[in-house]
Amino acid sequence: MASGAGTMFFRVIVFSAIVAVCVAQPPPRFNCSSTSKCRSLIDYIPPNATTVGDVMKLFDVKHLLSFLGSNNLPMNTSSSFSLPAFQKIKIPFNCKCENGIGLSDKRPIYKVQSGNTLDKIAEITFARLVTSLQIAAANGIPDPNKIEVGQELWIPLPCSCDDVEGNKVAHYGHLVEPGSSVSAIATMFNVSEATILKLNGIADARDLKASQVLDIPLKACSSVIRQDSLDFPFLLPNGTYDYTANNCVLCECEAAKNMILDCKPSQLKPPSQKSSNWSTCPAMPCEGSNLLLGNSTASGCSTTTCAYAGFSKQTIFTNISTLNTCPGPEGGPQDNPNSASRTGSQGLNLVGLIVFMHLLSFGSLLIQ
């Protein structure tokens, strides 16, 4: 009897602890008011060993190269590449804002398997990126306990397309690890603690929970992509790459390249799909120069580059971009306005010297 009572007591304690964790875990919800769709990222931790292809299938990621670029994996990595259990990986997906919140744009779609419940799908299959109640609400399920084998469910992943503090950013759903802190996360992604707290509606940094999905705004590489481009806004964070313009253009974002989007012809063929009218990639020259996309030429302190500016169904846009690389007052590269400002300051100093010499001459005449 005593042993049975102890076992029962232990089960009650464990069950209560699990319930407490689930109750304390806030449901993922990212604010989003933008009128444009965008590309977002979210963490996923597979509960079992898997492959790149299986994860792509689970999340409806259509393009292998986009998946590889989001995780900075080598471009020749195959879909059969093994991923160990519990290794965090990033999932790229399209985001859309509705009613003030951001959700994945009707993807991924999960087909219910035998033995599934909404709780298992949310907690295990999709690693707490959503809650069972969010899945039920997104799919109009009145009773979360009643789902059918073969039923297709939209999994509404949290995301956002909003600017943050006036800056274009790539929103990243960061899955908080046990023992982590807001300050550690802020340092890791070069974001202020205040920004993280405000963006996620957290009043006290001590309220952070393990397995919570945080909205982290990653600084994106600057670009000259046009607003009428089919891939606008094309936002890549540091250490990632992606293919665009029907796979004809490869773009990379690196802090070592001054966080300026670096694009060049991909040497790939356009995919055979209805959205592409191209059998081969079009030429990518910059008008008014002899430069092609990705080419640069230097003259003195200026570097001129043929930059990627977007694409339409008919063509790929390019733009001549000039960067001033002259060292500034602190030894770093400065843009043209700062250089002009320095030249103006030197000019004023010279004028002052001339006026001073004239005053000296005038004073000597008075003495005589």
Side-chain angles (χ1 to χ4, degrees):
M1 278 293 288
S3 176
T7 301
M8 179 62 71
F9 177 75
F10 176 76
R11 288 178 178 173
V12 169
I13 292 296
V14 171
F15 177 76
S16 299
I18 293 173
V19 170
V21 170
C22 293
V23 170
Q25 170 63 40
R29 184 186 185 280
F30 293 1
N31 294 325
C32 189
S33 58
S34 175
T35 56
S36 301
K37 295 181 182 179
C38 68
R39 177 180 179 272
S40 291
L41 297 169
I42 197 167
D43 279 336
Y44 172 64
I45 300 178
N48 302 299
T50 184
T51 66
V52 166
D54 287 340
V55 174
M56 288 178 60
K57 182 178 179 181
L58 178 64
F59 285 91
D60 277 356
V61 179
K62 303 300 182 184
H63 303 292
L64 172 62
L65 296 173
S66 290
F67 182 91
L68 299 179
S70 298
N71 292 279
N72 208 18
L73 291 170
M75 297 176 189
N76 60 354
T77 303
S78 72
S79 59
S80 60
F81 182 77
S82 297
L83 298 172
F86 307 115
Q87 175 178 299
K88 186 182 289 187
I89 50 180
K90 294 183 178 68
I91 307 297
F93 63 97
N94 291 327
C95 178
K96 183 180 180 180
C97 305
E98 286 187 2
N99 301 318
I101 63 171
L103 297 173
S104 53
D105 192 14
K106 302 305 178 184
R107 291 288 186 273
I109 300 297
Y110 177 77
K111 186 174 287 188
V112 177
Q113 309 293 316
S114 177
N116 277 167
T117 64
L118 283 187
D119 282 336
K120 287 183 179 179
I121 294 170
E123 292 282 325
I124 299 175
T125 306
F126 287 94
R128 297 183 180 178
L129 299 180
V130 294
T131 66
S132 58
L133 293 180
Q134 287 176 319
I135 297 175
N139 292 275
I141 300 174
D143 187 350
N145 296 314
K146 293 182 179 179
I147 56 174
E148 299 178 0
V149 173
Q151 183 177 353
E152 293 188 339
L153 301 175
W154 166 37
I155 308 301
L157 302 176
C159 58
S160 181
C161 297
D162 289 353
D163 293 352
V164 174
E165 298 170 355
N167 298 312
K168 294 287 184 185
V169 298
H171 287 265
Y172 158 53
H174 172 69
L175 201 58
V176 177
E177 298 176 359
S180 188
S181 66
V182 173
S183 61
I185 295 170
T187 301
M188 183 185 303
F189 297 109
N190 194 27
V191 182
S192 73
E193 292 185 48
T195 298
I196 294 176
L197 294 174
K198 180 180 178 181
L199 205 57
N200 292 276
I202 301 175
D204 190 328
R206 292 171 296 183
D207 294 335
L208 187 70
K209 307 295 182 186
S211 297
Q212 183 174 351
V213 182
L214 283 184
D215 183 0
I216 302 296
L218 302 178
K219 183 180 179 181
C221 267
S222 61
S223 73
V224 293
I225 296 177
R226 297 161 39 155
Q227 291 191 8
D228 61 347
S229 174
L230 293 179
D231 57 0
F232 181 86
F234 188 68
L235 301 172
L236 290 185
N238 180 37
T240 65
Y241 65 86
D242 200 3
Y243 290 77
T244 187
N246 295 318
N247 282 353
C248 290
V249 176
L250 167 63
C251 295
E252 300 174 282
C253 177
E254 297 290 345
K257 297 180 180 179
N258 299 317
M259 291 298 290
I260 297 174
L261 195 66
D262 182 23
C263 301
K264 59 187 177 183
S266 67
Q267 310 303 327
L268 299 178
K269 292 182 178 180
S272 55
Q273 57 186 26
K274 293 181 180 179
S275 61
S276 172
N277 300 323
W278 307 343
S279 57
T280 59
C281 293
M284 308 176 203
C286 267
E287 292 186 11
S289 75
N290 58 355
L291 298 176
L292 298 176
L293 178 64
N295 293 158
S296 297
T297 182
S299 177
C301 289
S302 296
T303 299
T304 301
T305 302
C306 182
Y308 174 68
F311 78 106
S312 67
K313 290 184 178 180
Q314 290 77 35
T315 189
I316 292 175
F317 306 125
T318 56
N319 183 282
I320 289 290
S321 177
T322 301
L323 177 69
N324 190 306
T325 56
C326 284
E330 297 179 4
Q334 300 290 323
D335 57 15
N336 285 325
N338 285 346
S339 297
S341 174
R342 290 197 307 277
T343 303
S345 176
Q346 292 168 354
L348 288 175
N349 290 337
L350 180 59
V351 170
L353 179 61
I354 292 172
V355 171
F356 179 70
M357 294 299 293
H358 276 288
L359 287 174
L360 284 179
S361 300
F362 182 70
S364 62
L365 288 173
L366 289 177
I367 293 172
Q368 294 175 354

